[in-house]
Amino acid sequence: MRKFIYLISCVALGACGDDSGGSKPAPVPTLNVTLKPSVTSQTVPEADSTSSFVLEASYTGSTSDPIYPKLTYDKTVLALDGEMTRSGNGYTAKFKTLSGLSAKTYANTVSFQLCRDSDCATVYPGSTQSFTHSLEVKLADWTARQRNARHDGFVHAAFDPSKFAKAWEVSPASATGFREAAAGRGMVFVTQTSSDRSTVALALDDASGAERWRYSLGNLSYASGPALSGGSVVFSTMFTSSGNNPLVVLNADTGQFTKNFNFASQWSVFAPPTTFENSIYISAGYYGNVVYGYDLNGDAELWTGNGSAGHTWDGEAPAADSRYVYYYSGNLDVFDRLTGERVKSITDPFWQWNGYSYGGTPMLGSDNHVIAYSGNGMGTYAISFPLVDYDIAAGAYRWRTANGYSVIPAVANGVVYAASNQTSQFDAIDEQTGKIQWSWPRPAGEQFIGNIVVTDTLVFLSTDAAVYAIATDGTHQTKWTAKTPGTLAVTSSAKLIVTPIQGTSSPMKVTAYSLR
């Protein structure tokens, strides 16, 4: 009986309020929020990850208390584009995605709520709502030597070596060699030489390695690797010494011939053309020392420009940006990209002569930095040259490396990556000072070949025995290796393409590794 009376008493007391005579606080009113984002999924290119969208939020219900809106989102991916605005029971927030984002997919929860105080200690019931904004930053195509017209060899993405796997390999019958590859539009483009001395352009399916098309370039003295510009793929070719060597333009999707441009050269070897927007740039000339500019929409050259030193005949791909074309003639020459006017020549006081060919290419680093090999002959002989950093605004060099380097370097985030067969080490060099930050020893008995590719987390390089992936963090450890040496490219589907170098003992096969 006591227990029953106690319960009845508790119920009674609960119904009557507290015994102090006070009243209960008024309940917080419900404000039901509805969110309407203009988009929930966006895709942007690696080169420019900026985009925008609008979030509209509205609520039903009412209160005489203050209302403070609060947004929560990942500020490493998104930013507000101006202040959030209010109109009646609605709010508008404009978002933008940040520039310079690494290539991957970002899933970002955007949360909105209404609060009774500025610190959001009290949240109006029903007002907390959220949605997921998905942003895919897509890898860029590999369109030219060292990926782009800057020739920087930089892929702005992070990769996990534990996920690397061979995707496919292709061994075309009678192949005797390949040039460095280009990739885009779901294909990998290569130039193949054959035992019957013919040269063909091949397009391989990025996903499977299956042949999509082939085009015979003929029995040539030399053909470059391909370069990609929109729907066109371009090759520098030469049958014989002539003022009318063909720069061959093919439809990238079908392999059908589109047009030829002509240029002068004699018994030369060619780097892939440099493509920028709708233009093509090559270095050649019957006696070398000439830069040619072409408009893919036209039928003739745009301009020709002469280098100031005249020491370089072949083997070079000029670099380009929105304003200039950069060419190493023994000096560093800077041409107006649209007119071909030579606007500046920077003397290289360290230049050495060892032959007509140039084994590198100018490389654009941070703002106002251009890095190039100092000297001629590397394209003909297995020799090493120092790298020189040029200050374009000042018209002078900043520094020269103490060591000579041997393959096509890369640059990213203020660091130049170069490999030396002279010192048997791979070096990370400070872009501002030219001083070595850290080194990786070359495996005994091997020689560096090809080119270097740098990503956010790894550097890829090749010796004549294997491809290596080295951590860019403080460990600088070898994270992955594959016994398929050659030149390297990374496709927009995150495949590492390795093409063997003609004249080496490597099996003549093109190999693709999935990096994700």
Side-chain angles (χ1 to χ4, degrees):
M1 180 67 70
R2 283 185 179 180
K3 183 176 182 182
F4 177 74
I5 294 172
Y6 175 76
L7 289 174
I8 293 296
S9 300
C10 289
V11 171
L13 287 171
C16 298
D18 63 53
D19 56 8
S20 66
S23 60
K24 296 178 68 175
V28 178
T30 297
L31 302 179
N32 290 311
V33 165
T34 300
L35 300 183
K36 292 184 178 180
S38 59
V39 296
T40 58
S41 179
Q42 292 178 291
T43 299
V44 294
E46 175 197 347
D48 182 9
S49 59
T50 57
S51 187
S52 61
F53 66 94
V54 176
L55 173 63
E56 301 282 354
S58 61
Y59 69 89
T60 58
S62 63
T63 179
S64 59
D65 293 332
I67 299 176
Y68 295 88
K70 180 181 179 181
L71 280 167
T72 306
Y73 52 91
D74 186 348
K75 294 182 179 180
T76 66
V77 179
L78 297 175
L80 277 176
D81 189 4
E83 297 291 329
M84 183 162 50
T85 60
R86 179 178 180 177
S87 177
N89 284 11
Y91 297 86
T92 300
K94 296 180 180 180
F95 284 93
K96 59 183 178 182
T97 58
L98 300 186
S99 62
L101 293 176
S102 178
K104 67 175 184 178
T105 298
Y106 300 82
N108 191 353
T109 299
V110 180
S111 177
F112 177 90
Q113 54 190 180
L114 298 175
C115 309
R116 198 164 64 175
D117 50 85
S118 59
D119 294 333
C120 213
T122 302
V123 178
Y124 288 102
S127 74
T128 300
Q129 301 294 333
S130 63
F131 71 96
T132 299
H133 174 261
S134 177
L135 178 70
E136 182 187 8
V137 181
K138 288 186 66 67
L139 284 170
D141 291 334
W142 191 282
T143 59
R145 168 171 280 184
Q146 287 299 78
R147 198 174 193 228
N148 49 39
R150 299 178 62 85
H151 305 316
D152 56 19
F154 176 48
V155 179
H156 190 12
F159 297 108
D160 180 357
S162 68
K163 297 180 179 179
F164 293 0
K166 182 183 286 188
W168 49 262
E169 64 181 27
V170 175
S171 301
S174 73
T176 57
F178 297 92
R179 312 293 182 220
E180 52 200 279
R185 307 178 76 85
M187 288 176 277
V188 176
F189 304 96
V190 295
T191 306
Q192 175 199 322
T193 57
S194 302
S195 55
D196 64 358
R197 301 186 65 184
S198 65
T199 301
V200 296
L202 284 179
L204 306 174
D205 187 89
D206 187 351
S208 66
E211 185 177 309
R212 295 274 288 270
W213 55 256
R214 66 169 49 215
Y215 178 87
S216 175
L217 294 168
N219 292 333
L220 301 171
S221 297
Y222 196 85
S224 75
L228 187 65
S229 178
S232 298
V233 61
V234 188
F235 305 79
S236 297
T237 69
M238 185 183 67
F239 289 93
T240 187
S241 294
S242 168
N244 295 295
N245 293 292
L247 183 70
V248 180
V249 182
L250 306 179
N251 182 293
D253 294 324
T254 66
Q256 294 296 307
F257 174 81
T258 301
K259 67 179 73 174
N260 281 340
F261 294 108
N262 294 320
F263 64 93
S265 189
Q266 57 174 317
W267 307 123
S268 294
V269 299
F270 305 110
T274 297
T275 54
F276 187 93
E277 295 179 346
N278 232 16
S279 300
I280 310 168
Y281 305 97
I282 65 169
S283 61
Y286 197 75
Y287 297 103
N289 201 43
V290 179
V291 179
Y292 294 81
Y294 304 93
D295 180 358
L296 269 172
N297 292 327
D299 295 315
E301 66 187 41
L302 285 174
W303 53 261
T304 59
N306 292 313
S308 61
H311 300 306
T312 301
W313 284 42
D314 59 0
E316 179 177 356
D321 58 22
S322 60
R323 294 184 63 189
Y324 299 125
V325 173
Y326 305 85
Y327 170 68
Y328 184 83
S329 65
N331 299 326
L332 184 71
D333 297 313
V334 182
F335 297 90
D336 183 281
R337 190 177 68 82
L338 299 180
T339 67
E341 177 189 0
R342 194 174 74 213
V343 297
K344 187 170 292 189
S345 293
I346 305 175
T347 300
D348 177 7
F350 312 108
W351 173 82
Q352 300 174 43
W353 169 259
N354 281 275
Y356 292 105
S357 296
Y358 187 66
T361 184
M363 178 174 68
L364 308 188
S366 303
D367 186 43
N368 202 35
H369 285 262
V370 178
I371 302 104
Y373 275 118
S374 174
N376 293 79
M378 186 189 293
T380 305
Y381 305 103
I383 53 180
S384 300
F385 280 120
L387 289 165
V388 175
D389 181 285
Y390 295 92
D391 183 327
I392 301 303
Y397 79 93
R398 281 190 183 84
W399 48 258
R400 169 191 182 272
T401 58
N403 297 330
Y405 293 92
S406 312
V407 301
I408 300 173
V411 62
N413 301 317
V415 181
V416 179
Y417 298 91
S420 175
N421 286 321
Q422 185 182 80
T423 64
S424 302
Q425 66 184 26
F426 164 78
D427 294 331
I429 302 165
D430 185 280
E431 187 187 34
Q432 290 295 331
T433 65
K435 295 180 179 179
I436 296 172
Q437 295 181 336
W438 57 268
S439 297
W440 179 85
R442 186 190 67 195
E446 300 180 15
Q447 294 286 307
F448 291 118
I449 62 171
N451 62 311
I452 295 168
V453 177
V454 59
T455 74
D456 292 343
T457 51
L458 299 167
V459 179
F460 293 93
L461 57 83
S462 181
T463 70
D464 53 6
V467 175
Y468 297 91
I470 303 161
T472 57
D473 63 16
T475 66
H476 312 313
Q477 293 178 343
T478 302
K479 296 293 187 178
W480 175 82
T481 186
K483 301 294 184 181
T484 51
T487 57
L488 311 175
V490 176
T491 74
S492 60
S493 67
K495 288 187 177 65
L496 177 69
I497 306 299
V498 186
T499 51
I501 297 175
Q502 189 168 8
T504 65
S505 59
S506 303
M508 288 297 115
K509 61 185 179 183
V510 180
T511 309
Y513 296 95
S514 294
L515 302 181
R516 288 178 171 168

